[in-house]
């Protein structure tokens, strides 16, 4: 078993234990809000970025224990916009590193087999130049693997959450949780990638959004392999070709890219954001 296979296996086993650290017996998040010195409890927002950051803090003691048990050092991103969230560095050989990003999203309440998807990191400078240190903790090429520690949950909506109200500490157990029904998983990020960019205007890689496919690592590149993922996103919207009418266009989908590179188009798993 390679070091990467060993790390992946241990990480997969580790996440099976995490639900119990953050959930009540009925699946509610044990975090209800934040407390001031007067013992007032203020409900947190259901905003995904806030939930994600608090979950990361909530789970950090377990992450640290996992690293120590498996003889890795934990190196946190030194800047807010750096990739990855956590670098696991082998204590006995610091050239062995694994990138792990926390990825948190919520289920679509109308289509619970779908989630809101993830952004899987930049396909910009550090992705294209594997020795670059721009916006990344260690050069991209120095990592032995790039993993997502994913969390999918149900988001509380409507009148159940009142963010304007302060509660007394005695009311803690009666406060509604902003998140519930957590599902934890681990996968290499290329296995859940789509061929479309993530949200916003930044150069982010998007994910598929079918939950079963995410948990099983059945993204668009899953049959092609990581090499195709790397090449496609290094060249995203950079290759200009002619269409059947003689007009020029830039390649921006995986099927066209694989055909352009004379690859096996039948290996493209045709899943795109919002189409599953």
């Amino acid at each position: 078993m390679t070091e990467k296979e060993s790390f992946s296996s241990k990480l997969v086993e580790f996440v099976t234990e995490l639900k119990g650290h953050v959930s009540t017996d009925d699946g509610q998040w044990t975090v209800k809000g934040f407390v001031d010195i007067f013992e007032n409890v203020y409900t947190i927002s259901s905003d995904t970025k806030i939930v994600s950051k608090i979950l990361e803090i909530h789970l950090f003691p377990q992450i640290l224990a996992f690293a120590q048990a498996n003889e890795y050092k934990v190196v946190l991103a030194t800047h807010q916009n750096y990739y990855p969230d956590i670098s696991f560095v082998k204590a006995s050989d610091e050239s062995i590193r694994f990138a792990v990003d926390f990825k948190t999203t919520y289920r679509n309440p109308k289509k619970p087999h779908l989630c809101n998807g993830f952004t899987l990191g930049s396909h910009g400078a550090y992705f294209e130049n594997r020795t670059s240190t721009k916006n990344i903790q260690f050069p991209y090429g120095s990592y032995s693997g790039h993993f997502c520690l994913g969390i999918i949950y149900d988001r509380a909506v409507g009148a159940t959450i009142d963010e304007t109200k302060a509660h007394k500490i005695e009311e803690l157990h009666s406060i509604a949780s902003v998140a519930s029904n957590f599902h934890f998983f681990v996968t290499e990020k290329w296995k859940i990638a789509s061929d479309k960019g993530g949200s916003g205007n930044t150069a982010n890689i998007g994910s598929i959004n079918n939950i079963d496919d995410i948990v099983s690592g059945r993204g668009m590149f899953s049959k092609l392999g990581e090499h195709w993922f790397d090449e496609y996103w290094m060249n995203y919207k950079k290759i200009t070709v002619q269409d059947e009418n003689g007009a020029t266009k830039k390649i921006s989908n995986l099927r066209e890219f694989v055909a352009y590179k004379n690859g096996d188009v039948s290996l493209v798993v045709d899943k795109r954001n919002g189409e599953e």
Side-chain angles (χ1 to χ4, degrees):
M1 183 181 290
T2 66
E3 192 75 36
K4 180 179 176 180
E5 289 169 339
S6 175
F7 178 82
S8 177
S9 176
K10 290 172 181 175
L11 195 60
V12 168
E13 182 180 356
F14 165 68
V15 300
T16 63
E17 307 166 0
L18 291 181
K19 186 175 181 179
H21 290 288
V22 300
S23 298
T24 60
D25 290 341
D26 62 350
Q28 300 296 308
W29 193 12
T30 54
V31 171
K32 300 292 184 175
F34 59 94
V35 184
D36 66 16
I37 62 170
F38 305 110
E39 298 189 344
N40 294 310
V41 182
Y42 300 90
T43 305
I44 61 173
S45 167
S46 60
D47 180 272
T48 308
K49 290 182 179 178
I50 294 174
V51 171
S52 180
K53 189 60 183 177
I54 295 174
L55 273 168
E56 186 178 334
I57 295 168
H58 196 182
L59 292 170
F60 188 73
Q62 281 70 45
I63 295 287
L64 196 59
F66 166 80
Q68 291 171 342
N70 292 286
E71 300 181 332
Y72 284 92
K73 295 188 292 183
V74 167
V75 179
L76 299 178
T78 51
H79 298 278
Q80 185 175 350
N81 64 338
Y82 268 36
Y83 172 87
D85 292 325
I86 299 177
S87 298
F88 287 87
V89 181
K90 191 75 172 176
S92 60
D93 183 354
E94 295 193 359
S95 68
I96 298 173
R97 302 166 179 160
F98 296 99
V100 176
D101 252 359
F102 281 94
K103 294 299 174 187
T104 308
T105 193
Y106 54 89
R107 294 180 184 87
N108 183 329
K110 294 181 179 179
K111 298 180 180 180
H113 67 290
L114 303 179
C115 67
N116 202 43
F118 310 98
T119 56
L120 301 177
S122 172
H123 56 85
Y126 69 70
F127 189 86
E128 293 176 19
N129 178 1
R130 299 298 168 98
T131 61
S132 171
T133 56
K134 180 177 172 58
N135 296 332
I136 188 167
Q137 195 65 35
F138 301 106
Y140 196 93
S142 73
Y143 288 97
S144 302
H146 298 265
F147 293 88
C148 297
L149 196 167
I151 308 167
I152 302 172
Y153 62 92
D154 289 339
R155 185 168 64 166
V157 294
T160 56
I161 303 296
D162 184 358
E163 296 173 20
T164 66
K165 182 181 178 182
H167 302 263
K168 288 298 179 184
I169 197 76
E170 296 81 11
E171 303 175 85
L172 188 63
H173 289 279
S174 65
I175 300 172
S177 299
V178 298
S180 62
N181 299 326
F182 292 99
H183 186 109
F184 290 85
F185 68 92
V186 167
T187 185
E188 290 183 72
K189 72 175 186 177
W190 68 270
K191 291 184 177 180
I192 61 170
S194 76
D195 63 353
K196 300 300 180 189
S199 59
N201 297 320
T202 54
N204 277 317
I205 299 165
S207 78
I208 57 172
N209 60 6
N210 181 288
I211 293 173
D212 283 345
D213 288 338
I214 288 172
V215 172
S216 302
R218 294 193 298 259
M220 293 187 69
F221 299 85
S222 56
K223 291 183 180 179
L224 286 163
E226 188 172 13
H227 171 73
W228 280 98
F229 165 79
D230 287 342
E231 274 215 44
Y232 176 79
W233 281 107
M234 285 177 177
N235 292 285
Y236 183 62
K237 291 187 177 181
K238 292 180 179 177
I239 299 172
T240 303
V241 295
Q242 283 189 322
D243 63 20
E244 60 273 12
N245 300 315
T248 59
K249 64 174 184 178
K250 293 187 183 297
I251 292 177
S252 60
N253 72 71
L254 182 56
R255 188 169 290 274
E256 288 183 354
F257 181 78
V258 173
Y260 174 81
K261 298 283 287 185
N262 296 316
D264 187 349
V265 177
S266 71
L267 295 178
V268 175
V269 181
D270 206 6
K271 304 172 188 291
R272 296 190 179 89
N273 290 336
E275 295 181 8
E276 293 145 298

